[in-house]
Amino acid sequence: MPPQINVFFQRFGAGLKSFTAGQRTLAVLGAALLVVGIVALSAWLTRPALTPLFSGLKSTDASGIVDQLKKDNVAYELSDGGSTILVPQDKVYDERLKAASAGLPTAAATGYSLLDKMGVTSSEFQQSVTYKRALEGELASTIEAMDGVKTAAVRLAIPDKSVFVSKTPDTTASVFIDTAAGATLSSDKVQAIVHLTSAAIENLKPDNVSVVDSQGNVLSTVGGGATGSTSKQASDYENRTSDAVKAVLDRVVGPGNSTVAVAADVTGESAQQKSETFSNTAGALPLSESSKTEKYTGTGGGAAGVLGPDNIAVPSGTSGNGNFDSTTATKNNAVNKVTEDRLIPAGAVKRQTISVGVSQAAAGGLNLASLKNLVTSAAGVDTTRGDVVTVEVVPFSTAAADNAAKALAEAQANAEAEKQAAFFSTIITAGSILLGLLILALVVTIILRRRQKREPVDLGERLDLQIMPVAPPVVALPPAPETSAIPITALPPLPGPSTEQLESERRRVEIDSMVAANPERAADYLRSLMDDRQPA
């Protein structure tokens, strides 16, 4: 290992040893926080972007695809209850090709592809059922291509043709629709589905197509068309009328200052009416015209007799002259004939009532008669069928508005609090990482710049003097009275250090001072001495 690295580790260890317990704890915590932040940041930055591999999978298909991903060591995630598989973006196409080669996901044959598997030995019943399934599959896939439709299923009721019946029943169809999340089918789309289905099947009328959604709502009934049930027709009419009246009131009294309620009574039965009307155009010439005139004049002859008791004419015995005059005219005129066949569907409005309430706070200076006329015109009111319009000025309750405003304020406060919490969390995370970096930099700086300082230890000698003083001779004390005399011998003086020892100690002190002041220069000097030495 190079000497510079050894010196670095030695200084690092010496610096750690010089720390107090609190400093060591702070340094360890900072280093651990820094490591965790670096690991989390690197994991977040190196995380691959995930893209849906397949969606709307069955459980068996999802299991097979997951096994294939595990075999290829490809990271994946499951979502939507296991029906969607997410993989890294750079692995999507490769895994799709591998799954396709393995026959995944398995999809049941639909549409005209069913006819490819039929053999020449298929019975007439099998051919008929397979052809009907093919038509149903093709219609379902076509309807699923519409915007807002998630899945679709079509069932056809095609009667068998027979020469033993005089009239074949009509073909009917039922369509099941599962809409996408948040999507609704408008009446125009329902009409499109009905006409698409009826036009694709022979002898299938639009009135014989039933459409039902996944919520159980009947969008089109057999015989009733795409208008739906009577209650739905009434609800649609009430909504349209209410929206029209509401639009007028919002411009007059302002939004939120009026309320509208419409109750419509619609017919629940359909009818068929046939009428013939004849008319003649005034001043038109006749197609043909003829006249006949007869006139007779004669003399003599018996006069007419009178019947007797036995119904026998009795001559009157008189005679005279006779005259006959007759005129006949025939004229054939051109006659206009109009034959009308009318089909009256269910849902015709028999009577409606409209109730309008206007806020008292916004009705200052408002002409109720003019407002009632506006509502009558906007709703298409017909007084001859018994329609009623009521307009009243009443005080409105503000409890709902106050609650809504309070809920809105709370939602805004919660959103602001969440935003601030996320902001402070980001700041704390960034500050923790920055603090860890600063602590690490501080530790490294302290270790690199720390200098060893040695304090001189007093060992009872003066190293700055060239000659040590000689200890004075010990003087014997006189014996104490009334005690036995004990001879006391004077100790010889301690020998002092020699001049060579003092010089050596001085040089050692200078070298220690130089090493402590500039260790790099001392190390370079020692290395140079070691390099200059020649082997013996």
Side-chain angles (χ1 to χ4, degrees):
M1 186 178 294
Q4 292 84 353
I5 299 179
N6 290 330
V7 172
F8 172 76
F9 281 110
Q10 291 176 0
R11 292 177 181 173
F12 186 77
L16 289 179
K17 291 180 181 179
S18 63
F19 284 179
T20 62
Q23 291 176 344
R24 291 179 183 177
T25 304
L26 184 61
V28 171
L29 291 177
L33 183 61
L34 178 62
V35 171
V36 172
I38 293 175
V39 171
L41 183 61
S42 61
W44 181 73
L45 292 176
T46 58
R47 181 183 179 185
L50 298 180
T51 304
L53 179 64
F54 293 104
S55 59
L57 295 173
K58 298 180 180 179
S59 58
T60 54
D61 295 337
S63 176
I65 295 174
V66 167
D67 293 339
Q68 181 68 30
L69 295 176
K70 290 181 179 179
K71 182 180 178 181
D72 296 339
N73 294 326
V74 177
Y76 66 92
E77 288 185 5
L78 298 178
S79 62
D80 297 337
S83 61
T84 301
I85 301 178
L86 304 175
V87 297
Q89 190 172 4
D90 56 344
K91 300 290 185 180
V92 171
Y93 301 106
D94 294 340
E95 293 302 323
R96 283 180 182 174
L97 292 177
K98 291 181 180 180
S101 63
L104 295 174
T106 57
T110 58
Y112 291 122
S113 60
L114 293 172
L115 303 177
D116 299 336
K117 299 181 179 180
M118 293 185 61
V120 295
T121 60
S122 300
S123 63
E124 183 179 356
F125 176 76
Q126 290 177 337
Q127 294 177 1
S128 176
V129 172
T130 305
Y131 178 68
K132 187 177 73 170
R133 289 179 57 197
L135 292 177
E136 293 173 350
E138 290 294 331
L139 285 172
S141 60
T142 304
I143 295 173
E144 287 176 357
M146 297 181 64
D147 187 17
V149 178
K150 185 178 180 181
T151 56
V154 181
R155 296 293 179 265
L156 300 176
I158 303 176
D160 296 333
K161 296 180 180 179
S162 177
V163 297
F164 300 102
V165 294
S166 59
K167 185 178 180 181
T168 304
D170 294 336
T171 302
T172 59
S174 60
V175 182
F176 176 81
I177 301 296
D178 184 11
T179 58
T184 56
L185 291 180
S186 61
S187 58
D188 295 337
K189 289 186 177 180
V190 175
Q191 289 280 4
I193 293 174
V194 169
H195 289 286
L196 175 67
T197 306
S198 63
I201 306 301
E202 183 181 2
N203 298 328
L204 178 59
K205 300 178 182 179
D207 294 340
N208 292 333
V209 178
S210 175
V211 181
V212 181
D213 63 2
S214 58
Q215 303 297 327
N217 300 321
V218 180
L219 305 180
S220 176
T221 58
V222 175
T227 55
S229 61
T230 304
S231 59
K232 187 176 185 304
Q233 295 174 11
S235 177
D236 293 341
Y237 177 80
E238 292 171 357
N239 292 335
R240 291 195 303 270
T241 305
S242 177
D243 292 341
V245 175
K246 192 69 175 176
V248 175
L249 294 176
D250 288 345
R251 298 297 299 272
V252 176
V253 298
N257 294 322
S258 62
T259 180
V260 180
V262 180
D265 183 12
V266 299
T267 58
E269 66 278 355
S270 59
Q272 187 174 2
Q273 182 181 9
K274 183 176 182 179
S275 61
E276 293 183 355
T277 304
F278 299 91
S279 63
N280 185 16
T281 305
L285 298 177
L287 296 178
S288 61
E289 185 177 3
S290 63
S291 63
K292 181 180 178 181
T293 303
E294 294 181 351
K295 187 176 183 182
Y296 299 99
T297 304
T299 58
V306 181
L307 294 177
D310 297 329
N311 293 329
I312 298 175
V314 178
S316 59
T318 60
S319 61
N321 298 328
N323 296 322
F324 178 78
D325 191 357
S326 175
T327 302
T328 304
T330 303
K331 183 182 293 185
N332 296 324
N333 295 320
V335 180
N336 296 331
K337 179 181 179 181
V338 178
T339 302
E340 183 179 6
D341 291 332
R342 297 181 60 191
L343 180 62
I344 303 175
V349 179
K350 295 188 296 185
R351 183 175 178 272
Q352 66 173 347
T353 58
I354 303 173
S355 301
V356 178
V358 181
S359 176
Q360 188 175 7
L366 188 64
N367 190 348
L368 293 183
S370 301
L371 185 62
K372 185 175 182 180
N373 293 334
L374 289 176
V375 173
T376 301
S377 300
V381 174
D382 187 1
T383 57
T384 58
R385 64 184 180 188
D387 294 352
V388 178
V389 178
T390 303
V391 179
E392 297 291 342
V393 177
V394 293
F396 276 22
S397 174
T398 60
D402 296 339
N403 294 333
K406 183 179 179 181
L408 180 60
E410 291 178 355
Q412 291 178 352
N414 294 333
E416 187 67 23
E418 292 179 358
K419 186 184 297 184
Q420 291 181 358
F423 176 72
F424 286 124
S425 177
T426 304
I427 291 179
I428 290 173
T429 303
S432 301
I433 296 175
L434 181 59
L435 179 61
L437 294 175
L438 291 176
I439 292 175
L440 181 61
L442 180 61
V443 170
V444 174
T445 304
I446 291 175
I447 294 174
L448 293 179
R449 295 189 177 183
R450 185 176 180 84
R451 297 180 179 180
Q452 294 182 350
K453 296 182 179 180
R454 297 185 179 180
E455 297 181 357
V457 180
D458 189 4
L459 299 178
E461 56 183 1
R462 298 288 302 275
L463 300 180
D464 54 345
L465 300 178
Q466 297 293 333
I467 300 174
M468 298 291 291
V470 180
V474 180
V475 179
L477 297 176
E482 297 180 357
T483 60
S484 60
I486 298 175
I488 297 175
T489 307
L491 297 176
L494 295 175
S498 63
T499 306
E500 291 79 10
Q501 292 177 350
L502 293 175
E503 183 66 21
S504 176
E505 186 65 20
R506 184 183 62 80
R507 290 180 180 179
R508 186 180 67 80
V509 172
E510 291 179 354
I511 291 173
D512 291 341
S513 301
M514 182 180 68
V515 171
N518 196 344
E520 291 83 359
R521 183 177 179 183
D524 294 336
Y525 179 74
L526 292 176
R527 280 195 295 269
S528 63
L529 292 178
M530 294 175 65
D531 293 337
D532 293 340
R533 295 179 62 182
Q534 300 295 330

